[in-house]
Amino acid sequence: AGLFVTVAVVGDLGSAVAEIKDMLWLRPDGKEMTDEEWNRESAHCLGVFFAGEGLEEVDERGKRLSDLNFLMLINAHFEEVPFAVPPPSSGKEWIVMLDTAQSNVSNGNGNHAVPQHYPLKGRSLCLLMQRQERRASGSTEESKQLEEVMNEA
C-alpha cells in the first residue's frame, strides 16, 4: 500500500462514514492541510493523523491487519496553540501517550484524557492514541496491541 491510500473507515474524523487516507496532515483547527498551506511561513503548528484502523493489508495467512489510530501534534511556535482534536471513532477516546511539555505524563501510561481542544504548549510535541473507552472490567484489543508494541520497544 502506498503512503496515501484511501480507504473507508466507520467513525472517522467527523462523519459517520467517510473515506480517509491512512495518513492526514492537519491544521490546528483540525482540518486537512492544503498544498498552499505547506508553503506559508506562518505554518508553525500541525498534526499528523495515522489511521491504523484503515489498513487494508493482510498477513501471510490472509488475516486483515489493523493497528491503533494515532495523532501526533507538533508546535514549533513559541506560544501555546489550542489544537482541535478530531472526534474519536465511535466507542473510543483519545489519550495522551507523550507530551514533551508535560512532566507528569509518563511515556506509554495513557491515563490522561484529551479535551476537544488540546493546549499544545510552545515548542512541543504530543502523541495521542485512540483506545476503547474504559470499562469497569475486561481488557480490550487495543490494550493488548499497545502492550505488544511497548514490549517490542
Side-chain angles (χ1 to χ4, degrees), residues 70-131:
F70 289 90
L71 179 61
M72 183 170 50
L73 309 177
I74 305 164
N75 185 5
H77 195 52
F78 64 89
E79 293 180 329
E80 181 177 300
V81 173
F83 204 102
V85 177
S89 300
S90 179
K92 297 194 176 184
E93 65 183 346
W94 287 110
I95 56 169
V96 178
M97 298 303 294
L98 170 72
D99 187 333
T100 59
Q102 303 285 330
S103 60
N104 61 342
V105 176
S106 301
N107 294 353
N109 186 359
N111 289 325
H112 297 78
V114 176
Q116 186 176 359
H117 286 86
Y118 191 83
L120 189 59
K121 301 291 184 198
R123 296 190 171 98
S124 69
L125 178 141
C126 177
L127 180 64
L128 308 177
M129 181 187 78
Q130 244 184 54
R131 70 166 180 206

Side-chain angles (χ1 to χ4, degrees), residues 133-151:
E133 289 180 317
R134 293 252 171 167
R135 306 261 192 274
S137 63
S139 70
T140 64
E141 183 65 27
E142 284 82 4
S143 297
K144 292 176 188 174
Q145 288 177 339
L146 177 59
E147 210 172 294
E148 289 174 10
V149 169
M150 296 305 287
N151 288 335

